[in-house]
């Protein structure tokens, strides 16, 4: 199949490579089609083996009590793997455990991997079921040591011998090389051909068993970004969970980064994927409104919902994802600029505030500072957080063009809100004429529009002021 490879299987105390430990290792090294070494050992995991794992594998706490520790068997393991491709059934599991176990010893593992689950899928595309039990049943392979490391390795070895005889050594080697080009890192249960994913900008959606996506992401290089999820899955818990749950991938190409960002934010809010965190729907957004009267108490009031209107941004400061974040930010400003907590509404009471007593307030609460001066200092302190007034007379379009695909998108914005993305004059006219909904503030759209619609802007984009259709290159 390959010039040099090692068939390997591990038994462990559980399925989490970061938390669980190895209890048994078996390996068979094959060079130029000939077995040159066979090795198997129990490993003392240093932790208790649960009754469930004991029943599954047959490995008990008593059996590993006098077994060598993992650090003691590492030299033999690395000797076997030297210069070889690591081959395993669901190689992600075994490779991930080895990476973590060796990392705890400050030892790096550098070897290519090949998954026999994916090899089975490649050889038998019309067959369902590529787990080891399914392969054993389909090919008439038996073992008395299922779920023991050496027993499972010998099943893989027998299966490889059968498929070599069926397809021929050259064909099997070509298929193995296909997997070694990068797809060996993919989850074995993934049905999507990753080679079909374009390398340009867009959004990708990971699906599990259900019709709703479990994760939505974006990138200017779709295929590379998708592959990075799987290469990181043996190191990062979230990526590992995604790799275990994923079944298929869908993608939507965009003209550029702006379209990908907008589409990602919309899809995450629409579907609420389990593994997305940052872009979920913002139900608690709020901002501070400053009273124009310096003598008002409190000077600031918290606004949210419909009151958080782009038409009012000239008097609003923020935005904040929650009331707690807004209060925390205001307390920091008060301490940093010696503002009065009483006047701001952060502290109840009348007369001299506690902050003044310890030298952290300039005394608007007790007549040592005028309300007008305190009000002015408050405005200056808040100025960095002031929400920007919409700088255009109406809706505008941000045009993106992809020179490689020829795709051009126009992203329509009004009052910092994303209205639609269109690709033709007809779609543009329809989007503007049929717009009836009240604009709802969205933090992600606001930040993106602020970044791309205001100077200096970004290269590769053009702002279209739709009232006059005048173009202004940024």
């Amino acid at each position: 199949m390959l010039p040099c490879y090692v068939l390997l299987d591990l038994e462990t105390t559980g399925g989490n490579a970061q938390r669980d430990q190895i209890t048994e290792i078996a390996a068979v090294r094959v060079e130029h089609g000939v077995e040159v070494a066979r090795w198997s050992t129990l490993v003392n995991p240093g932790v208790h083996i649960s009754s469930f794992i004991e029943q599954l594998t047959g490995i008990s706490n008593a059996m590993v009590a006098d077994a060598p520790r993992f650090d003691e068997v590492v030299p033999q393991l690395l000797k076997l793997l030297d210069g070889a491709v690591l081959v395993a059934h669901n190689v992600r599991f075994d490779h991930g455990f080895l990476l973590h176990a060796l990392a705890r010893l400050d030892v790096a593992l550098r070897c290519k991997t090949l998954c026999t689950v994916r090899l089975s899928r490649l050889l038998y595309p019309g067959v369902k079921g590529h787990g080891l039990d399914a392969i054993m049943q389909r090919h008439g392979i038996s073992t008395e040591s299922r779920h023991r490391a050496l027993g499972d390795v010998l099943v893989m070895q027998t299966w490889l011998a059968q498929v070599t005889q069926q397809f021929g050594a050259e064909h099997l080697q070509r298929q193995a090389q296909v997997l070694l080009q990068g797809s060996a890192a993919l989850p074995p249960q993934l049905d999507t051909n990753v080679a079909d994913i374009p390398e340009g900008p867009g959004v990708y959606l990971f699906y599990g068993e259900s019709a709703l996506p479990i994760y939505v992401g974006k990138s200017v290089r779709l295929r590379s970004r998708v592959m990075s999820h799987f290469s990181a899955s043996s190191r990062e818990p979230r990526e590992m969970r995604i790799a275990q749950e994923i079944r298929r991938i869908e993608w939507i190409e965009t003209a550029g980064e702006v379209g990908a960002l907008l589409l990602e934010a919309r899809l995450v809010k629409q579907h609420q994927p389990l593994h997305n965190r940052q872009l979920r729907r913002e139900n608690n957004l709020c901002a501070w409104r400053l009273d124009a009267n310096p003598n008002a108490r409190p000077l600031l009031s918290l606004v949210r919902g419909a009151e958080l209107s782009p038409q009012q941004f000239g008097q609003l400061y923020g935005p904040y994802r929650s009331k707690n974040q807004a209060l925390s930010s205001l307390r920091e400003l008060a301490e940093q600029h010696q503002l009065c907590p009483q006047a701001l509404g952060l502290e109840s009471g009348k007369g001299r505030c506690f902050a003044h007593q310890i030298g952290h307030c300039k005394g608007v609460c007790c007549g040592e500072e005028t309300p007008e001066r305190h009000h002015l200092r408050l405005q200056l302190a808040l100025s960095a957080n002031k929400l920007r007034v919409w700088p255009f007379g109406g809706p505008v379009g941000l045009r993106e063009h992809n020179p490689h695909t020829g795709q051009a998108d126009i992203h329509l914005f009004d009052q910092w809100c994303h209205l639609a993305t269109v690709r033709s004059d007809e779609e543009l006219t329809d989007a503007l004429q049929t717009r009836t909904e009240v604009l709802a503030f969205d933090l992600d759209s606001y930040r993106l529009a602020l970044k791309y619609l205001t100077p200096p802007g970004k290269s590769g984009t053009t702002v279209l002021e739709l009232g006059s259709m005048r173009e202004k290159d940024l």
Side-chain angles (χ1 to χ4, degrees):
M1 180 177 69
L2 292 168
C4 181
Y5 63 92
V6 170
L7 288 167
L8 180 137
D9 187 72
L10 304 178
E11 301 301 330
T12 65
T13 60
N16 189 313
Q18 290 191 319
R19 181 181 65 245
D20 297 312
Q21 305 295 324
I22 297 170
T23 59
E24 190 176 33
I25 307 174
V28 171
R29 183 178 173 102
V30 179
E31 297 179 5
H32 304 290
V34 178
E35 179 183 326
V36 297
R38 180 181 294 192
W39 175 66
S40 176
T41 180
L42 289 168
V43 178
N44 188 331
V47 296
H48 179 75
I49 299 174
S50 70
S51 58
F52 171 78
I53 294 297
E54 181 177 341
Q55 290 177 359
L56 177 67
T57 65
I59 300 174
S60 66
N61 290 286
M63 290 171 60
V64 299
D66 297 323
R69 301 184 308 274
F70 180 75
D71 62 313
E72 297 176 282
V73 304
V74 165
Q76 178 66 23
L77 175 64
L78 294 180
K79 181 180 179 182
L80 279 168
L81 290 173
D82 184 34
V85 175
L86 192 162
V87 179
H89 210 66
N90 193 359
V91 72
R92 176 176 304 282
F93 177 88
D94 303 272
H95 186 243
F97 262 90
L98 287 182
L99 284 176
H100 281 280
L102 290 169
R104 297 183 193 111
L105 304 175
D106 291 326
V107 176
L109 176 64
R110 294 182 177 88
C111 64
K112 292 183 178 180
T113 62
L114 186 145
C115 181
T116 48
V117 176
R118 297 197 65 80
L119 181 60
S120 176
R121 286 177 178 270
L122 198 59
L123 295 173
Y124 303 97
V127 173
K128 289 187 177 180
H130 298 274
L132 206 55
D133 290 325
I135 285 177
M136 290 173 63
Q137 182 178 4
R138 188 163 60 245
H139 293 267
I141 303 172
S142 62
T143 178
E144 296 180 357
S145 304
R146 181 72 175 97
H147 293 301
R148 289 297 300 270
L150 185 58
D152 289 351
V153 164
L154 295 180
V155 169
M156 285 192 291
Q157 189 177 26
T158 301
W159 177 72
L160 285 174
Q162 289 187 4
V163 296
T164 300
Q165 185 175 9
Q166 178 182 354
F167 293 98
E170 290 186 6
H171 178 76
L172 191 61
Q173 183 173 1
R174 286 196 299 270
Q175 300 308 303
Q177 290 293 343
V178 169
L179 294 179
L180 284 179
Q181 298 305 314
S183 61
L186 297 172
Q189 75 282 2
L190 182 62
D191 290 329
T192 303
N193 184 1
V194 177
D196 292 338
I197 302 176
E199 195 56 88
V203 169
Y204 55 94
L205 300 91
F206 290 167
Y207 289 87
E209 298 287 359
S210 73
L212 293 175
I214 59 174
Y215 182 80
V216 175
K218 62 85 187 172
S219 179
V220 293
R221 299 180 62 193
L222 278 174
R223 191 188 317 127
S224 297
R225 180 67 185 101
V226 167
M227 289 300 298
S228 72
H229 280 279
F230 306 131
S231 63
S233 66
S234 59
R235 302 187 301 271
E236 301 177 14
R238 187 188 71 161
E239 300 291 6
M240 179 176 290
R241 290 194 296 272
I242 290 176
Q244 291 170 345
E245 296 172 22
I246 190 172
R247 294 296 182 273
R248 62 186 177 89
I249 304 171
E250 294 182 0
W251 59 90
I252 303 170
E253 293 185 78
T254 62
E257 183 182 22
V258 179
L261 286 165
L262 288 168
L263 183 57
E264 178 196 32
R266 180 174 66 80
L267 290 175
V268 169
K269 291 177 175 65
Q270 177 182 342
H271 296 299
Q272 298 283 287
L274 175 64
H275 295 290
N276 286 91
R277 293 288 184 268
Q278 296 299 320
L279 293 175
R280 287 193 176 188
R281 192 182 305 278
E282 302 285 357
N283 292 323
N284 298 314
L285 284 178
C286 53
W288 291 113
R289 176 186 285 131
L290 176 62
D291 198 302
N293 182 2
N295 294 295
R297 294 296 181 269
L299 287 167
L300 293 167
S301 58
L302 203 59
V303 299
R304 53 165 57 91
E307 292 184 286
L308 195 59
S309 166
Q311 287 78 14
Q312 306 298 319
F313 278 7
Q315 293 78 43
L316 299 182
Y317 301 85
Y320 306 97
R321 296 188 182 274
S322 66
K323 179 180 178 180
N324 286 339
Q325 187 186 58
L327 289 170
S328 177
S329 176
L330 187 57
R331 289 190 185 98
E332 290 180 10
L333 285 177
E335 184 173 349
Q336 182 181 353
H337 296 275
Q338 294 184 290
L339 299 167
C340 179
Q342 278 187 14
L344 301 185
L346 294 172
E347 181 181 306
S348 60
K350 295 182 179 181
R352 191 175 176 222
C353 70
F354 178 74
H356 184 264
Q357 297 176 41
I358 60 175
H360 291 173
C361 167
K362 293 192 175 183
V364 71
C365 49
C366 56
E368 293 185 10
E369 181 181 33
T370 66
E372 290 75 18
R373 179 174 177 79
H374 180 266
H375 192 268
L376 179 60
R377 291 197 304 110
L378 174 57
Q379 290 183 67
L380 292 174
L382 289 168
S383 60
N385 297 325
K386 189 171 185 177
L387 290 172
R388 293 280 300 275
V389 175
W390 180 243
F392 303 99
V396 300
L398 181 66
R399 185 179 184 274
E400 264 188 314
H401 177 256
N402 187 328
H404 303 291
T405 65
Q407 180 173 329
D409 292 340
I410 297 178
H411 311 295
L412 304 181
F413 289 87
D414 193 10
Q415 298 297 326
W416 305 113
C417 299
H418 177 228
L419 306 179
T421 294
V422 299
R423 295 181 178 176
S424 67
D425 292 341
E426 293 77 12
E427 290 182 0
L428 174 61
T429 302
D430 185 63
L432 293 175
Q433 290 181 347
T434 60
R435 197 185 110 203
T436 58
E437 73 279 4
V438 177
L439 296 178
F441 177 72
D442 178 83
L443 180 57
D444 301 309
S445 296
Y446 171 72
R447 288 176 172 171
L448 192 144
L450 196 64
K451 178 180 179 180
Y452 285 92
L453 291 176
T454 56
K458 295 288 181 178
S459 61
T461 62
T462 301
V463 172
L464 309 173
E465 295 190 33
L466 301 179
S468 59
M469 295 304 293
R470 178 175 60 86
E471 295 190 6
K472 179 177 63 177
D473 291 326
L474 293 181

